[in-house]
Amino acid sequence: MKPHTRNLSLPSGLTVLLLAVTLCPSFSSDVLSTTSAPTPPEPPSIPETGSYNVTNNGTACLLASMGLQLNITYTSRSQGKAVQVIINLQPNMTNATGSCEPDTATIKLINENTNLTFLFHSNSSTNKYYLGGLSLSIALPDMTQPLVVSNTSLDYLQGTLGYSYMCHQELILPVGEKFSLNTFHLRVQPFNVSGQEFGAAEECQLDKDDMLIPIAVGAALAGLVLVVLLAYLIGRKRSHAGYQTI
Ligand SMILES: *[C@@H]1O[C@H](CO)[C@@H](O)[C@H](O)[C@H]1NC(C)=O
Ligand SMILES: *[C@@H]1O[C@H](CO)[C@@H](O)[C@H](O)[C@H]1NC(C)=O
Ligand SMILES: *[C@@H]1O[C@H](CO)[C@@H](O)[C@H](O)[C@H]1NC(C)=O
Ligand SMILES: *[C@@H]1O[C@H](CO)[C@@H](O)[C@H](O)[C@H]1NC(C)=O
Ligand SMILES: *[C@@H]1O[C@H](CO)[C@@H](O)[C@H](O)[C@H]1NC(C)=O
């Protein structure tokens, strides 16, 4: 199963609103200022990017830099029913520990009420690594009981040993029915870290797709400039030739 991805255009509601406000000035005063209109839920903010490393005898052996967002479903004590919430991990309140072995590497992020563990595997015969497991244990005051979700048959963030895996776009990593992890501005290197620094990056397909748009626009603009320049040069040559015949 591939990580899901989200359409990254403007939220459609916002687009419609902007359109409506532009097309019909009275709409803004009708809708935007009436307090009776139900306010749509705020889109969750993008989590702050944290830098989380695992060290072995003082040397970094796993590097990770990412913004993390938990999407969880639990039974609410106050509402007496299942609720779905989005929680951004705060890097300054989160500690990282872990371990580095030749074939597996783990990083455990811990804060007041959350334990989130990443389990990476390496495969020397294919020269690849991947995120094979994610476990979450979270205990919020409003939960009737702590939520514990674990899945060790994942196959996410596949990279080549010696390289880091990079994805600036949001990745949605489903873990179980009640938990999926959203990552932002992610860069990880679980194996073969040398010199305390990330190795060359392998970029996710989403980022590559995103690059195609500016490249296409750039190429189109360059083409246009070329056409105008050619037209100008040809025109100049013609008028030059014209002068000489007079
Ligand atoms: C959270 O998960 C639910 C269902 O699993 C999904 O419908 C929703 O879009 C997700 N929200 C975010 C912000 O990822
Ligand atoms: C390594 O990859 C090969 C080829 O995909 C596979 O057959 C093998 O089981 C893998 N080994 C481990 C330890 O995952
Ligand atoms: C997180 O792990 C620590 C130590 O392993 C444990 O004491 C704590 O209860 C765990 N927290 C949650 C929410 O499971
Ligand atoms: C673990 O994740 C895989 C891939 O997303 C999914 O097919 C499988 O159902 C999950 N297992 C559990 C126990 O949720
Ligand atoms: C983790 O390692 C990176 C790269 O060496 C470094 O820039 C960053 O400051 C380190 N972060 C922590 C929390 O040690």
Side-chain angles (χ1 to χ4, degrees):
M1 196 168 164
K2 287 240 176 268
H4 295 184
T5 54
R6 211 189 293 286
N7 224 339
L8 270 159
S9 53
L10 269 181
S12 54
L14 189 58
T15 317
V16 170
L17 194 66
L18 286 177
L19 207 64
V21 170
T22 323
L23 295 178
C24 169
S26 68
F27 176 85
S28 53
S29 51
D30 285 350
V31 170
L32 294 182
S33 63
T34 45
T35 45
S36 59
T39 46
E42 292 258 317
S45 61
I46 300 215
E48 211 181 304
T49 304
S51 171
Y52 310 107
N53 303 335
V54 176
T55 54
N56 193 0
N57 295 326
T59 331
C61 58
L62 185 161
L63 299 177
S65 168
M66 53 200 173
L68 295 173
Q69 190 173 69
L70 313 176
N71 183 348
I72 58 169
T73 304
Y74 67 87
T75 309
S76 159
R77 194 193 295 277
S78 59
Q79 298 177 54
K81 60 169 188 182
V83 293
Q84 184 236 311
V85 298
I86 300 294
I87 297 170
N88 287 348
L89 238 59
Q90 308 279 172
N92 60 358
M93 304 201 318
T94 306
N95 288 318
T97 65
S99 65
C100 299
E101 311 286 336
D103 297 336
T104 59
T106 59
I107 179 164
K108 188 173 180 181
L109 304 181
I110 303 172
N111 70 26
E112 201 189 358
N113 47 32
T114 310
N115 290 345
L116 176 64
T117 306
F118 295 73
L119 172 63
F120 291 92
H121 293 287
S122 82
N123 187 330
S124 48
S125 67
T126 57
N127 209 33
K128 298 277 182 188
Y129 62 79
Y130 61 95
L131 175 64
L134 274 169
S135 311
L136 173 74
S137 166
I138 179 166
L140 300 177
D142 188 40
M143 286 178 167
T144 51
Q145 59 184 58
L147 175 68
V148 179
V149 181
S150 179
N151 190 330
T152 53
S153 43
L154 306 175
D155 193 3
Y156 297 142
L157 318 184
Q158 300 160 352
T160 306
L161 289 172
Y163 292 82
S164 57
Y165 182 92
M166 184 154 89
C167 201
H168 287 296
Q169 301 276 335
E170 177 183 7
L171 282 177
I172 301 171
L173 310 178
V175 181
E177 225 171 274
K178 295 181 171 172
F179 170 46
S180 60
L181 180 68
N182 301 339
T183 72
F184 299 78
H185 306 296
L186 170 128
R187 190 166 183 189
V188 293
Q189 186 166 349
F191 299 99
N192 305 52
V193 172
S194 73
Q196 311 264 83
E197 279 185 12
F198 281 114
E202 284 180 339
E203 196 133 5
C204 64
Q205 192 57 44
L206 274 177
D207 285 3
K208 289 182 192 156
D209 293 349
D210 214 39
M211 285 288 288
L212 287 181
I213 298 164
I215 288 172
V217 170
L221 280 178
L224 199 66
V225 166
L226 204 68
V227 166
V228 169
L229 197 70
L230 276 178
Y232 168 76
L233 287 178
I234 290 168
R236 214 171 71 135
K237 205 173 168 194
R238 283 224 176 112
S239 62
H240 229 72
Y243 283 131
Q244 280 178 339
T245 52
I246 288 172

